[in-house]
Amino acid sequence: IRVGLRCVFCALTQPRPALIYFDGNKKSPFLDPQPIIDNFNAPMSTFYPKSLHEIYRLVCTWQRVHFNKCKNVPPSVKAMYNNLKTNDKTRGKTKYWASSASDIGLMNDNRSGGFITYIPKTASKQQTDSPN
């Protein structure tokens, strides 16, 4: 399973593309992109890191590119974020983000140019415990 990260505030508001119908009954193999175009919010609402070490950099980019422009983020959340950014100078490090991602079951998968995959901790423990 390839892992992507998505804005929690956009997750339920992003419209699904609608099928285009012909003659009232037949579905076209094409999707109508207009619902997505009409409801475009801010870029980068979803992104797919290629490795655990890329998560920190992409989240920082996401904060700059998406979060501040997202119309779905409540003003109270933006105010709390700005307060923390101004007053809390403890910053995460790439190593911390990568190890935290690993701790919850995310891991690098180098197939097809690289991506992150999810293996639940119980499944990964069973794999490492098995004699094969």
Side-chain angles (χ1 to χ4, degrees):
I1 298 173
R2 183 177 183 187
V3 173
L5 302 174
R6 174 170 57 180
C7 173
V8 68
F9 301 104
C10 290
L12 299 175
T13 61
Q14 291 177 339
R16 307 261 191 260
L19 287 173
I20 300 173
Y21 291 91
F22 293 112
D23 301 330
N25 294 341
K26 296 181 181 178
K27 293 180 182 176
S28 165
F30 301 103
L31 296 175
D32 182 4
Q34 201 59 47
I36 293 174
I37 293 167
D38 291 343
N39 290 294
F40 180 75
N41 179 22
M44 204 177 166
S45 63
T46 303
F47 58 95
Y48 297 87
K50 292 185 176 185
S51 73
L52 297 180
H53 283 82
E54 193 178 46
I55 294 173
Y56 175 76
R57 182 182 60 80
L58 286 176
V59 167
C60 290
T61 302
W62 175 87
Q63 288 171 331
R64 189 179 68 256
V65 171
H66 179 80
F67 182 81
N68 287 323
K69 296 177 179 127
C70 181
K71 64 184 177 187
N72 298 315
V73 177
S76 61
V77 173
K78 285 186 180 184
M80 184 185 345
Y81 168 78
N82 289 325
N83 182 42
L84 287 170
K85 188 173 180 180
T86 302
N87 298 315
D88 184 359
K89 297 302 178 186
T90 59
R91 304 283 179 180
K93 301 287 184 211
T94 301
K95 185 176 179 180
Y96 170 79
W97 282 70
S99 66
S100 296
S102 178
D103 289 347
I104 63 169
L106 299 180
M107 59 188 303
N108 291 327
D109 190 325
N110 295 322
R111 295 177 288 172
S112 302
F115 56 92
I116 295 174
T117 190
Y118 173 69
I119 307 240
K121 281 300 186 180
T122 55
S124 62
K125 182 172 176 20
Q126 289 170 353
Q127 288 175 357
T128 58
D129 289 346
S130 68
N132 295 342

